[in-house]
Amino acid sequence: MAYTALALQIACRAVNSLSITDARAAILNSIERISLQVANAKRFLGQDLKLVSLPEYSVTGFPWGESATEWKEKAAFAPNGPEYDAIAKLCQDSQIFLASNHYETDANFPELYFQCSTVFSPSGDLVLRYRRLISMFAPSPFDVWDKYLDTYGLDALVPVANTEIGKLSAIASEEILYPEIARISASKGAEILLHSSSEVSSPLPTPKSITRHARAVENMAYVVSANSGGLSGIAIPENSTDGGSEIIDYKGRVLARAGSGETINACADISLESLREYRRRPGMANLLSRHPMQMWAEAYSGFDAAEQGGLGDGTQVPERDYYLARQKRVIEKLDKAGLI
């Protein structure tokens, strides 16, 4: 099977300066604007467009001085809320799979929000929900580890969706810098890594651009990476997160890369048949078949760095100072152990 995928590079209109009521209205307006862009992208690129990926937190921006409670009320989606209903309708109207990234609430952790990557199908059904595991200033499942596992189980941590357009997984923003998340996805059969990002683009290699290529090669997978096409509504220069959305194939080759601004130029054909044939071919290049995962599991088992379960059962509301203090403690621990 072959089809067209698009990393839709769109401008992020942040809601930081808005009231809660106005922010909620602006989010729905942004989803409607994206819906029109997707519909017309399919009209322009052709009916083979079946997968669209959006940038990180593309309809809200990120918290910038708001308390955790305020940001949750202003910008976090309820799992069955109107924002997701609008996204589901977008997918039905354009008959595409849509990968997107948002902040999300959870009734099992009412004091927290998570950064969440989702994929909706052309039927409007949610086929993948991934909560970001490594985050600098937001809660993650790792912070409420025991309760999260009791609630959702281990498989929910790194899900892979088996769909008609391939096996899909999600990676959020700077998580592309960590090989383990992509590797776990690949170990579950993931063929397309959907990377939502909001990053500084450059004509020079950046950490994220370098590691996107590495993740594609080492996992023999496509990477569809969508970056913002500018950021407004917050006191940061608009072009700070702009450009460089790209699609990379399973050999690390760039199939398409966007320039700056809002654009549909980061589009390319995905060939599942070619990818699967490549994965089944013996030889040195077949890295998945040669990877000794069991050996790394043993090596990692004794390593203790990041603080697991630091937020307990999730009833503590963490503010920015909590995350900075936690990181300092981990750095001190690594330094004391002679590891840095």
Side-chain angles (χ1 to χ4, degrees):
M1 178 185 183
Y3 62 89
T4 302
L6 168 65
L8 181 58
Q9 190 166 285
I10 54 172
C12 174
R13 297 176 178 177
V15 300
N16 303 73
S17 63
L18 303 179
S19 67
I20 292 172
T21 300
D22 289 345
R24 289 293 173 179
I27 290 168
L28 291 175
N29 287 338
S30 289
I31 295 173
E32 176 61 25
R33 188 173 72 92
I34 292 169
S35 181
L36 291 172
Q37 290 180 326
V38 169
N40 284 284
K42 187 162 187 175
R43 182 180 180 185
F44 190 91
L45 297 172
Q47 295 304 301
D48 284 341
L49 178 62
K50 298 186 182 299
L51 172 63
V52 177
S53 186
L54 301 181
E56 185 182 18
Y57 41 65
S58 57
V59 297
T60 62
F62 51 88
W64 195 247
E66 294 86 358
S67 69
T69 299
E70 181 183 0
W71 189 251
K72 178 165 66 74
E73 293 175 351
K74 181 181 287 189
F77 297 7
N80 296 308
E83 298 88 2
Y84 280 137
D85 288 342
I87 290 172
K89 184 177 184 302
L90 182 166
C91 294
Q92 291 171 327
D93 290 346
S94 288
Q95 285 296 290
I96 51 98
F97 285 84
L98 183 77
S100 54
N101 178 273
H102 321 280
Y103 294 96
E104 183 181 80
T105 60
D106 186 325
N108 294 295
F109 302 90
E111 302 301 325
L112 305 180
Y113 60 79
F114 298 101
Q115 191 177 349
C116 182
S117 295
T118 60
V119 177
F120 280 80
S121 73
S123 65
D125 294 323
L126 177 74
V127 296
L128 185 141
R129 168 176 276 118
Y130 167 70
R131 263 78 179 268
R132 180 172 172 172
L133 292 172
I134 302 172
S135 182
M136 184 67 192
F137 291 114
S140 85
F142 190 71
D143 296 315
V144 286
W145 188 250
D146 291 338
K147 184 176 178 181
Y148 202 89
L149 291 184
D150 288 344
T151 304
Y152 294 110
L154 189 63
D155 284 343
L157 292 175
V158 185
V160 172
N162 190 0
T163 76
E164 64 196 67
I165 62 166
K167 296 175 183 176
L168 313 176
S169 67
I171 300 173
S173 188
E174 64 180 1
E175 286 188 322
I176 199 73
L177 304 177
Y178 297 87
E180 290 82 4
I181 293 172
R183 177 64 75 192
I184 293 171
S185 297
S187 76
K188 293 183 173 185
E191 298 167 314
I192 302 165
L193 309 178
L194 299 164
H195 178 227
S196 58
S197 192
S198 181
E199 63 185 74
V200 177
S201 181
S202 171
L204 299 175
T206 66
K208 284 187 179 180
S209 66
I210 292 167
T211 50
R212 274 193 289 270
H213 289 254
R215 300 297 89 85
V217 171
E218 67 199 11
N219 295 296
M220 305 169 70
Y222 285 97
V223 174
V224 179
S225 179
N227 189 28
S228 302
L231 173 65
S232 63
I234 188 172
I236 293 174
E238 187 169 341
N239 290 335
S240 296
T241 61
D242 181 12
S245 298
E246 60 185 347
I247 298 179
I248 304 167
D249 78 358
Y250 48 86
K251 292 184 179 180
R253 300 174 296 195
V254 176
L255 302 180
R257 178 180 290 138
S260 61
E262 293 198 317
T263 178
I264 60 172
N265 287 347
C267 65
D269 289 341
I270 301 291
S271 174
L272 294 179
E273 184 178 353
S274 295
L275 179 147
R276 290 168 181 173
E277 181 182 351
Y278 187 67
R279 284 183 167 188
R280 294 179 181 127
R281 186 184 305 161
M284 292 184 66
N286 195 323
L287 302 181
L288 282 178
S289 66
R290 300 172 60 207
H291 199 90
M293 290 284 284
Q294 304 92 323
M295 183 166 66
W296 308 138
E298 291 290 331
Y300 280 147
S301 64
F303 187 76
D304 178 23
E307 295 181 358
Q308 179 176 302
L311 294 179
D313 61 1
T315 55
Q316 175 186 349
V317 181
E319 300 299 344
R320 191 179 183 90
D321 289 349
Y322 165 81
Y323 300 106
L324 290 171
R326 177 181 65 179
Q327 186 182 39
K328 289 178 181 177
R329 289 195 298 271
V330 173
I331 291 172
E332 289 171 359
K333 179 169 65 173
L334 293 174
D335 188 20
K336 186 176 181 179
L339 298 176
I340 57 174

